[in-house]
Structures are given as structure tokens and as C-alpha cells.
């Protein structure tokens, strides 16, 4: 912290009035060794990221499956920023991963097989299989049309025709010999006796002697038995006929496809799984040659052929010979870095699509689609952690894939064991990927707390630093970061003065004038807005006024509620006193955040005390508006009073504290010092200056401690005072520990420089009470007695009277006022 300025000696207090230079630590542009950022080289890594880089290098290089990365960084790092850049640079030095294909499983059609091929070879296999089908659809019919095939086929047909006809001719000859006619009827084949070459009518047959009729009947029964034996043989002969035709067709197909398949196998001889697959293809082609001999029965819109072309019903049979190129890495020059913006189940592990055909939904391996895990396999997958956990099924699917080290494409019905359409049970793809989650710290801590699997899988934490010390070296590095982003986003360059103001703003954003924030999104947003105002001003470079206007207009766009509060103070709706003195009333300061915009505003804190044993009552807590931290701060006040003023007996006090005109929750302990000053004022009947506002927490020993939002709080009271008129006596009391956090607005700094507004730094309660009351705080002597005419003496005396009254027997009072009772 800078050396505090000495007091002017008028006030007998340890409070220090700050100078304008302490109210805003300016950055001198003359210390920057350039006139424009165009003179600066790009900066690959923001300053202060040494530990993060070390963690990234470790996480990216360790190849154990359970060492994935969680980076504490803004979500913009998913698409740009040094985390993404680091992964991209590392991935460029690594080999391209294999292509991933799915193909038909001829042994189990419901379970497609996964094929991994060297990068670029997957497309070759897909095209080769497409060409194979197209060529066979042309060459196979031609092979079956040549004279040799026709002759051999005709011979087989004639042989089996003869095999069918010979038994019938023999049976017919025997029947004629026996005098029996074979008649074909609508009911089938029948036998009838003949006489003189003519079928014997039934009346004449019945007129024959019985012995002759019995002989004819026996003969007919024997002939029927022989006919039945022949008919039973017909399916056997037909099957033999088909088998012989199939063998002939297989021989023709084998001959026709042999040279094509041999070329394919030689092309992929270095990929054994593919050669095995091609062997299965060849066997299936031989066994299903008829599919290539059918005549196309016409095209129907919407149907899919073997490789995605619209074909008729015949084309559906050829789909099994296609190859679904799931991931094509043929154009990759390194490992992939994939960012998935919408991490759902299907976008991560892939999906199964369906086609409508004849009123039914159909699917096969050709309709399997890759997910981000497939595309990132062999490289890096970057995900927004918050978006991921908002999709619980996706989060569970990701963990399941990382644990199993394989990614399986499944429908939601399959994952949840629900009934649905029949879907392929595709062979899982081996997974070798490094997952990088980017998100806030709190989300990492929450996941580690509630999910043991998360800690087992994401063991590498990359803590991206968002602040660096404010030094000359870091200032130049931030300037280079600014130059990098102006070029990356095609923005106007910044002048040296503009860079200096940006640096001051970055100190303000991290709430510390000894540091810079290196939050890239914040820097880029400011650069874009400054570039806009430079465009409006027709400037070729962004200058200081453009940056200042960007900062001011950003606040102006978001401060509607803040302006309404000031208006209510000006109109007297909200009562805030900025002049005079009051007993038991202090102006406290609070910070509000609405839609990402934070602003400070004063609140009247009042205290009422009387003799009693109730201690300090926090009205905010009693009505359930006070948070736990605020309640803790109030309890500390009771500890301070007892420890300082009455150590040998219970605190004989009943006091109440409240934030006046506060209608919402109150939390935090930053108002505890203001509450204590109000309490001391009420106890000691000490008028407190209303032209001063107070912020700071307090401990039981009376030390004033640092708080957050000090700039917003000071500016909030300054704006209220400016609304009603600055008198030159108004100001704010802050903890001395917060001096290093001051980066106030230019108008506040000017008022401080012109002695129209004051900022006081205090270290103890005594410093503050002396400043607020105009009385010395007072230091007790060896006997614990405070000097007369001091603030502490007044408080101690009042508490002593309360204690004395409390030690006497209780007496019924008549309701009249008693100063010692209040």
C-alpha cells in the first residue's frame, strides 16, 4: 500500500486523509515504450500463466486414460484464448488419427463392425466399395449372358427336365399296359380303367364282375403309390437343380469378381481388419449374385440406395456393401481439437438416423452418425463444463465412454432400456481422447464434492490466472495482449494514451491498484466498444477519449436502477442526510449488483439503546432479512462492547440496529463498523457527522478490516452528495487496508484534488469514532478509566450507569422517562 498521507493536525485522530493520487493510481503513458500497439508483437500466452501452462503440458502429455483436464477459465477459452491456442499448437505436432468406418457384419447383420484405417484411407475404401457395386451391377449381368454360361445352364436345365419327365413316362407306359388311363383333372391326377382304348364309364365299371373290379382297383392303387413316390421326389430334384445352378452362378461370380477383389485386397493389405472384411464381402457376393441380376423395378422417391443414392427396391439390397465413413481425417495435418458447443448425448456419442419406407422407420449401419468423441478421437475434445452438466444424460454418457475407453453409438431408447424401433448394435470404437472441460472454480468444487467419478477422471486442474502484479514488465505484456486482440478481431490499433487508460481500467476491474486483470473477454469487449467509438469519431486509431467513452457508455447503459435511487434521494423519498450531526445514526455503504453491473449506495443505519440484558438485537435478522455474515458481524459488536467497556459483568444493555428503508435481504459484514459507530453514538449520546459515510468490517478487538466494492461504495456516496450539493466537508471513511484497492472515477478524483470531497483511511474503531464525533477517542489509564471529554469515556460512563442500575433490586417504575433507561 502507498505511504498514507499525514493528517493536517486539526483532528485529534489516527485517521488519514488520502490524496488524489492515492484515490486513483494513474498509469503514466510515458513509461510505455511505444506510440501505438502496431509496434508490438503478438503475445501467445497472457502474463502470469506459468503454472497453468505447466499443468496443461502435464495434462496433455500424460496418456493415462483417467488424467483428463478441468481448466478454471472463462468459457470463451473454449473457442479462443491461450488454452485453445495451446491445444491447437500441440495438436499440430501430433500425427493425424485414423479414419473410422462402419461396415456390414455378414455374420451378424444387427451388429455393424467398426474399421479403423490410416488417415485418408477410409475415403478410399468407401469409394472402392461404391465402385465395386457399380461395376458388378454392370459386369455380372454380362457374365451371365455369355454363350458359355447359357450352354452350361441349358445343360443343367435339360438334365433336370429329363429327370422329371422319365419317371412320368415310365409310369404312363405301365398304366397303358395294365389298361389304366392317367387323367389330369382340376382336382389333380386321377386313374381310370380303359376298354378298347376308351375310359370305361362308371356304370359299365360297376357292371363288371366283382373279381375283375377288385383286380382293377388293386392295379390302380399300385399306380397311385408309384405316382406318390414320384411326386415326393420332385422337391428333391428341384433343390438339386437350384443347388447346381447356384454352384454354377457362384463359379461365374467368383470368376467375375476375383480380379476386382484381389485388387481391393492388395490395396488394403496393410490393414488386416479390412482384408478380413473384403473376404466376407466376396463370400456374400458369391452367395447372393441374384441381387445383381434382378431388373430394377423403378425408382421411388425418398428411398436410399447402397451409398446414399436414390434407387428402387433393388438398391436396398446393395446397401450392405457400402462403407459408412464416420470420421474422415484425410485432410488433417495433426491431431484434432474439437469444441462441441451443444454437448447433448447424440452430439457427443453419435446418433442413429432412420428413413421412412412403406410407413415404417428403417435404419442400418449407413445411418450411423459420428459424435464429437468420434471426431476428437486421437486428439482433444473441449467442452463448456456448465453446458455439459446441464445435460445429465450427456454427462453420464461422457463419463461412461471415458471409463470404458470406447464410444458406443446408442439411441436414447437403448441407453434407457426402453422399447423402440429396432436399431443397430454397432461395435464400439476404441477411444483415445483428452477431454478438456472449461468452467468456473465453483462448478469444479461442486462436482468433486458430489461425484466421485468426476475426481477419478478429471485429475488435472489448470488454474488460469486472471490477475497479475502491476509492474512495468506485466504492463508491456498486457499491451502486447491488447495488440494481439486488435489484430485477431480486426480492430483499430490503440495509441499509447489509450493503452494507459485500458491498464487503469483493468486495475479497476480486479479491484486492486497493485494488479491488472488479464481476463481476455473483458479486454476484448472494451477494445470492441472503444473501436466503435473511434469509428464514430472517424479516427484511424483508438485514442484515450474513445476508451473513456466506452467505459462511461457501458455504465450508462446499465445504471438505470442506480439513477432511480439517486433520484429518490434527491426527491426525499429515500432519506439520506449529508449534513449536520445525529445521535445513533450513521451513513453506511452497500453494494448492489443488477445484471452484472455493481454500484454503491448509502443506507441510514440507526441504533437505539436502553438498560437491559437482551444484548444487541439485529432487526434485519429478526425479520429474516439478514444473512449469516451480517448476523455474525452484529454479534461481534456485542463482543467488542463487553471486551472493551465491561469485562467483569454481563453487558447491561439492550440495543437494536436496523438498516432504515431497507426492504430486501442484507448480508455481509462490511457495515459492521458503521453499525458499531451508530451503537457507540447511541450509548454515549454522541452526535455523529452525517456528511461522512462509513464502510469496513470490525473485529472484537476494534480493528477495522478490509471490505469489497470500496470503489463503488465511495462513488455511490459521492453521487448522492453531488445530487444535493458538495459542501467540501463530505467524505467517506474506509479501512486503511483498502487504500490499495482505490481506482476511483475521474470526477471523484478531481473532487478530492479540489478539496470538495474527502476519503479517510482508518485502522481502528478509535480512529473512526474520533473522526465522526470530533472528540478524541481516549486511551484508558492503568485502572481502565478513560480521560474525560473523550468518546470512550462517554460510552463507558453510560454503560456503568446501566450496570449500576442492573445490580439493584428491580423496582416497578411508573412509566415516566428516565435517561438512564434509554
Amino acid at each position: 500500500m502507498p505511504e498514507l498521507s499525514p493528517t493536517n493536525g486539526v483532528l485529534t485522530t489516527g485517521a488519514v486523509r488520502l490524496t488524489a493520487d492515492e484515490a486513483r493510481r494513474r498509469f503514466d503513458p510515458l513509461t510505455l515504450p511505444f506510440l501505438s500497439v502496431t509496434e508490438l508483437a503478438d503475445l501467445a500466452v497472457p502474463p502470469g500463466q506459468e503454472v497453468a501452462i505447466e499443468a496443461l503440458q502435464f495434462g496433455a502429455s500424460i496418456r493415462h486414460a483417467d488424467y483428463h483436464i478441468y481448466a478454471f477459465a472463462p468459457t470463451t477459452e473454449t473457442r479462443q484464448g491461450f488454452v485453445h491456442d495451446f491445444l491447437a499448437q500441440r495438436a499440430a505436432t501430433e500425427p493425424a488419427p485414423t479414419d473410422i468406418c462402419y461396415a456390414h457384419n455378414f455374420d451378424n447383420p444387427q451388429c455393424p463392425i467398426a474399421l479403423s484405417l490410416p488417415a485418408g484411407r477410409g475415403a478410399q475404401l468407401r469409394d472402392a466399395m461404391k465402385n465395386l457395386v457399380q461395376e458388378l451391377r454392370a459386369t455380372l449381368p454380362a457374365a451371365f449372358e455369355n454363350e458359355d454360361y447359357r450352354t452350361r445352364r441349358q445343360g443343367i436345365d435339360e438334365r433336370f427336365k429329363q429327370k422329371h419327365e422319365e419317371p412320368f413316362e415310365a409310369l404312363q407306359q405301365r398304366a397303358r399296359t395294365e389298361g389304366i388311363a392317367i387323367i389330369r383333372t382340376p382336382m389333380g391326377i386321377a386313374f381310370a380303367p380303359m376298354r378298347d382304348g376308351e375310359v370305361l364309364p362308371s356304370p359299365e365299371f360297376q357292371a363288371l364282375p366283382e373279381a375283375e373290379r377288385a383286380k382293377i382297383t388293386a392295379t390302380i392303387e399300385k399306380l397311385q403309390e408309384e405316382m406318390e413316390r414320384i411326386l415326393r421326389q420332385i422337391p428333391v430334384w428341384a433343390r438339386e437343380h437350384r443347388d447346381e445352378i447356384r454352384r454354377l452362378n457362384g463359379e461365374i461370380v467368383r470368376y467375375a469378381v476375383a480380379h476386382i477383389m484381389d485388387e481391393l485386397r492388395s490395396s488394403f493389405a496393410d490393414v488386416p481388419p479390412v482384408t478380413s472384411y473384403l473376404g466376407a464381402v466376396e463370400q456374400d457376393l458369391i452367395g447372393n449374385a441374384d441381387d445383381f441380376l434382378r431388373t430394377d423395378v423403378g425408382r421411388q422417391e425418398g428411398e436410399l440406395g447402397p451409398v446414399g443414392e436414390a434407387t428402387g427396391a433393388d438398391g436396398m439390397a446393395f446397401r450392405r456393401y457400402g462403407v459408412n465413413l464416420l470420421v474422415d481425417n484425410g485432410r488433417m495435418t495433426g491431431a484434432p481439437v474439437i469444441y462441441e458447443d451443444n454437448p447433448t448425448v447424440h452430439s457427443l456419442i453419435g446418433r442413429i438416423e432412420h428413413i421412412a419406407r412403406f410407413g415404417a422407420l428403417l435404419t442400418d449401419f449407413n445411418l450411423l452418425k459420428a459424435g464429437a468423441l468420434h471426431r476428437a478421437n486421437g486428439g482433444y475434445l473441449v467442452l463448456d463444463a456448465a453446458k455439459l452438466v446441464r445435460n445429465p444424460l450427456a454427462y453420464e454418457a461422457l463419463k461412461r465412454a471415458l471409463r470404458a475407453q470406447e464410444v458406443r453409438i446408442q439411441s436414447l431408447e437403448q441407453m434407457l432400456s426402453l422399447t423402440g424401433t429396432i436399431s443397430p448394435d454397432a461395435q464400439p470404437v476404441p477411444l483415445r481422447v483428452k477431454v478438456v472441460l472449461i468452467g468456473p472454480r465453483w462448478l469444479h468444487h461442486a462436482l468433486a464434492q458430489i461425484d466421485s467419478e468426476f475426481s477419478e477422471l478429471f485429475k488435472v486442474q489448470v488454474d488460469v490466472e486472471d490477475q497479475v502484479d502491476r509492474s512495468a514488465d506485466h504492463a508491456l505484456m498486457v499491451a502486447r495482449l491488447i495488440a494481439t486482440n486488435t489484430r485477431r478481431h480486426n480492430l483499430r490499433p490503440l495509441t499509447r494514451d489509450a493503452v494507459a487508460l485500458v491498464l487503469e481500467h483493468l486495475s479497476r476491474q480486479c479491484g486492486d491498484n497493485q494488479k491488472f486483470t488479464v481476463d481476455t473477454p473483458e479486454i476484448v469487449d472494451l477494445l470492441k466498444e472503444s473501436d466503435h467509438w473511434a469509428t464514430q469519431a472517424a479516427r484511424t486509431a483508438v485514442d484515450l477519449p474513445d476508451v473513456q467513452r466506452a467505459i462511461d457508455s457501458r455504465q450508462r447503459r446499465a445504471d438505470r436502477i442506480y439513477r432511480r435511487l439517486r433520484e429518490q434521494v434527491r426527491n426525499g423519498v429515500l432519506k439520506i442526510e449529508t449534513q449536520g450531526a445525529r445521535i445513533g445514526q450513521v451513513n453506511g455503504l452497500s453494494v448492489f449488483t443488477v445484471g452484472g453491473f455493481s454500484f454503491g449506495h448509502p443506507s441510514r443505519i440507526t441504533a437505539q439503546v436502553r438498560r437491559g440484558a437482551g444484548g444487541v438485537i439485529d432487526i434485519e435478522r429478526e425479520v429474516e432479512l439478514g444473512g449469516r455474515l451480517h448476523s455474525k458481524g452484529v454479534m461481534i459488536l456485542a463482543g467488542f462492547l463487553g471486551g472493551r467497556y465491561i469485562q467483569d459483568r454481563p453487558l447491561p444493555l439492550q440495543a437494536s440496529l436496523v438498516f432504515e428503508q431497507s426492504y430486501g435481504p442484507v448480508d455481509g459484514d462490511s457495515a459492521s463498523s458503521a453499525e458499531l459507530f451508530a451503537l457507540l453514538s447511541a450509548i454515549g449520546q454522541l452526535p455523529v457527522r452525517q456528511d461522512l459515510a462509513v464502510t469496513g468490517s470490525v473485529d472484537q478487538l476494534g480493528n477495522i478490516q478490509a471490505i469489497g466494492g470500496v470503489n463503488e461504495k465511495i462513488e455511490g456516496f459521492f453521487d448522492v452528495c453531488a445530487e444535493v450539493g458538495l459542501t467540501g466537508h463530505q467524505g467517506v471513511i474506509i479501512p486503511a487496508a483498502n487504500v490499495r484497492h482505490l481506482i476511483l472515477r475521474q470526477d471523484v478524483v478531481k473532487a478530492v484534488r479540489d478539496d470538495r470531497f474527502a476519503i479517510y483511511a482508518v485502522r481502528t474503531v478509535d480512529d473512526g469514532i474520533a473522526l465522526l464525533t470530533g472528540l478524541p477517542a481516549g486511551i484508558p489509564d492503568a485502572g481502565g478509566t478513560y480521560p474525560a471529554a473523550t468518546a470512550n469515556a462517554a460510552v463507558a460512563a453510560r454503560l456503568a450507569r446501566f450496570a449500576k442500575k442492573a445490580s439493584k433490586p428491580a423496582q416497578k417504575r411508573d412509566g415516566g422517562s428516565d435517561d438512564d433507561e434509554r
Side-chain angles (χ1 to χ4, degrees), residues 50-119:
E50 293 78 11
V51 175
I53 289 294
E54 181 182 347
L56 274 174
Q57 289 173 338
F58 170 77
S61 60
I62 188 170
R63 285 302 175 186
H64 294 285
D66 51 352
Y67 278 81
H68 299 280
I69 299 170
Y70 189 106
F72 307 144
T75 54
T76 51
E77 287 285 344
T78 53
R79 292 183 181 273
Q80 60 185 22
F82 95 91
V83 174
H84 182 275
D85 292 345
F86 172 87
L87 296 175
Q89 292 172 7
R90 182 178 181 87
T93 65
E94 298 177 355
T98 58
D99 292 343
I100 302 174
C101 300
Y102 269 108
H104 184 71
N105 187 340
F106 295 97
D107 295 327
N108 187 357
Q110 202 60 31
C111 300
I113 59 174
L115 300 173
S116 293
L117 298 89

Side-chain angles (χ1 to χ4, degrees), residues 99 190 218 222 275 327 335 376 491 617:
D99 292 343
K222 289 181 180 179
T275 57
V327 178
L491 304 175
I617 298 174

Side-chain angles (χ1 to χ4, degrees), residues 8 16 32 35 60 118 162 205 225 242 283 308 372 422 439 456 495 532 592 626 685 700 712 780:
N8 56 19
V16 177
L32 294 173
L35 296 178
Q162 184 178 358
F205 177 74
E225 290 176 359
R242 289 193 302 271
Q283 293 303 314
I422 297 176
E456 293 171 0
T495 65
H532 169 76
F592 301 88
Q685 296 292 285
Q700 293 189 106
E712 290 82 1

Side-chain angles (χ1 to χ4, degrees), residues 22 77 160 165 334 469 679 708 771:
E22 291 168 324
E77 287 285 344
F160 277 92
E165 292 177 351
D469 291 336
L679 196 57
L771 184 59

